Amino acid sequence: MYTTELQKTKSVETLENPAKLAAFEARVAADEFIEPKDWMPEAYRRTLTRQMSQHAHSEIVGMLPEGNWIGRAPSLRRKAILLAKVQDEAGHGLYLYSAAETLGTSREQMIEALHSGKAKYSTIFNYPTLTWADIGAIGWLVDGAAIMNQVPLQRTSYGPYARAMVRICMEESFHQRQGYEIMMHLAAGTAEQKRMAQDALNRWWWPSLMMFGPPDDNSPNTAQSLRWRIKRETNDELRQKFVDITVPQAEAIGLTVPDPALSWNEDKGGYDFGEIDWEEFYAVVRGEGPVAKERMKARRDAWEKNAWVREAADAYAAKHAARKAA
């Protein structure tokens, strides 16, 4: 989910038709789905286009760190599972680009925005995968955080987005369990395997917490997105849920969350945890992540080198249409 809000949205235009705007707000407040042909404020359309395209970009870029390990998976079973997972991520990107196109922006425009640097994707994918344990950490932590973000999106106010999220959430649940199983086996293995699992947890824990976006008091879009039912919970609420669920999972397999400030707070019924390095977060957002340039180069190269596939598909579609018309 990779659905972290990374850019500011302009406020609702004062020139919107007041009657239409009031009717729209009433429908959203009543938890009705807004469909592509329904009237909607332009700010709502822009917010959704940005969020959905950013989500789609994240799914596609997210294939890169894991695809790098398909050929190096330690067994045929692990290879088949990882291959299926990467294929799922490609499908998620397809669903989301298709849903976003219903708002009037073409897939080509969205991809051009990604390649030019105008559009963002989840910062988590700008970190490298150094060992096989990183694949476990990504499934367990990154996809676990994604599920926390995405389950509420099944009730988001825009119908095509909500419906796309139903299948995506089911598949992400599989991804999370696959990752946790890898970490569980490594933690129960040799001393070196357990060390490798702990090292991966150490490196991926804080970036996973950053996936939920900036704190609520510094999140410019949260209030409007909540009002329009695009989001259902705030960044900090989702982050707290993730910590509360994930810490016991780490303890169950003998791993330690790398946060000396972590402690159980009986009064709130959840964990208190340390301060996130927001300077690192915003640096990665700006494209300064450890492998940010490598990720974007890979995406641009794939788009350019595989242009012939798109051209062949277009030619086939035009030939088929011509035959049907004749």
Side-chain angles (χ1 to χ4, degrees), residues 5-313:
E5 290 289 340
L6 301 175
Q7 297 169 311
K8 294 184 179 180
T9 302
K10 295 179 182 178
S11 60
V12 181
E13 293 90 333
T14 57
L15 297 179
E16 299 280 14
N17 183 302
K20 289 183 177 180
L21 183 58
F24 169 84
E25 297 276 7
R27 289 187 62 194
V28 170
D31 277 337
E32 293 183 24
F33 280 139
I34 304 301
E35 300 296 344
K37 293 184 179 180
D38 294 341
W39 185 91
M40 64 188 74
E42 283 306 307
Y44 178 83
R45 186 186 303 274
R46 285 199 306 269
T47 298
L48 274 168
T49 299
R50 187 188 66 252
Q51 180 170 323
M52 292 167 69
S53 63
Q54 180 177 296
H55 191 168
H57 299 329
S58 299
E59 298 283 357
I60 298 301
V61 176
M63 297 165 64
L64 297 172
E66 293 178 306
N68 182 47
W69 276 90
I70 291 174
R72 295 183 285 168
S75 69
L76 181 59
R77 175 178 177 269
R78 294 293 186 194
K79 189 188 300 290
I81 292 172
L82 185 56
L83 185 62
K85 183 186 177 187
V86 172
Q87 181 176 306
D88 284 348
E89 306 295 6
H92 298 174
L94 174 63
Y95 307 151
L96 292 163
Y97 281 132
S98 297
E101 284 182 307
T102 65
L103 291 162
T105 300
S106 72
R107 190 172 313 185
E108 288 74 18
Q109 288 173 306
M110 289 184 272
I111 292 173
E112 191 282 327
L114 172 67
H115 292 172
S116 68
K118 295 177 183 176
K120 304 296 183 183
Y121 57 90
S122 180
T123 58
I124 195 78
F125 300 119
N126 287 332
Y127 292 88
T129 47
L130 305 179
T131 71
W132 172 250
D134 287 33
I135 302 305
I138 288 175
W140 173 34
L141 301 175
V142 175
D143 292 314
I147 292 169
M148 201 65 65
N149 263 315
Q150 292 172 355
V151 166
L153 290 174
Q154 295 175 99
R155 298 180 294 114
T156 194
S157 59
Y158 189 56
Y161 196 13
R163 290 187 286 273
M165 292 313 305
V166 173
R167 178 167 180 172
I168 290 174
C169 285
M170 288 191 291
E171 292 176 347
E172 292 289 2
S173 179
F174 154 75
H175 299 167
Q176 192 273 343
R177 285 194 285 269
Q178 169 258 354
Y180 189 63
E181 186 205 21
I182 291 174
M183 297 295 275
M184 180 174 64
H185 281 276
L186 289 173
T190 65
E192 179 61 20
Q193 287 172 324
K194 185 171 183 179
R195 184 205 63 76
M196 188 167 65
Q198 183 63 58
D199 175 66
L201 172 56
N202 293 346
R203 286 183 289 105
W204 288 94
W205 176 255
W206 293 105
S208 295
L209 295 191
M210 295 176 196
M211 279 183 67
F212 296 96
D216 293 342
D217 57 6
N218 194 31
S219 181
N221 301 310
T222 292
Q224 184 67 79
S225 291
L226 287 171
R227 186 175 132 219
W228 278 339
R229 305 290 203 272
I230 295 173
K231 293 178 68 170
R232 292 287 182 161
E233 296 177 79
T234 71
N235 297 349
D236 288 337
E237 289 170 346
L238 292 168
R239 191 168 10 248
Q240 183 68 57
K241 283 186 177 182
F242 175 76
V243 172
D244 292 344
I245 288 174
T246 309
V247 170
Q249 292 174 344
E251 293 173 347
I253 57 177
L255 299 180
T256 302
V257 170
D259 182 359
L262 186 72
S263 64
W264 178 257
N265 185 323
E266 192 66 41
D267 291 336
K268 75 176 185 181
Y271 287 93
D272 292 330
F273 52 94
E275 181 65 23
I276 294 169
D277 184 351
W278 293 113
E279 289 187 10
E280 176 183 333
F281 170 78
Y282 286 111
V284 179
V285 170
R286 291 193 300 269
E288 299 169 16
V291 292
K293 291 182 174 60
E294 177 184 323
R295 295 285 185 251
M296 287 313 304
K297 182 179 185 302
R299 287 307 312 145
R300 293 190 192 100
D301 287 350
W303 180 258
E304 293 168 5
K305 291 177 182 177
N306 293 297
W308 69 271
V309 177
R310 298 190 300 276
E311 292 166 2

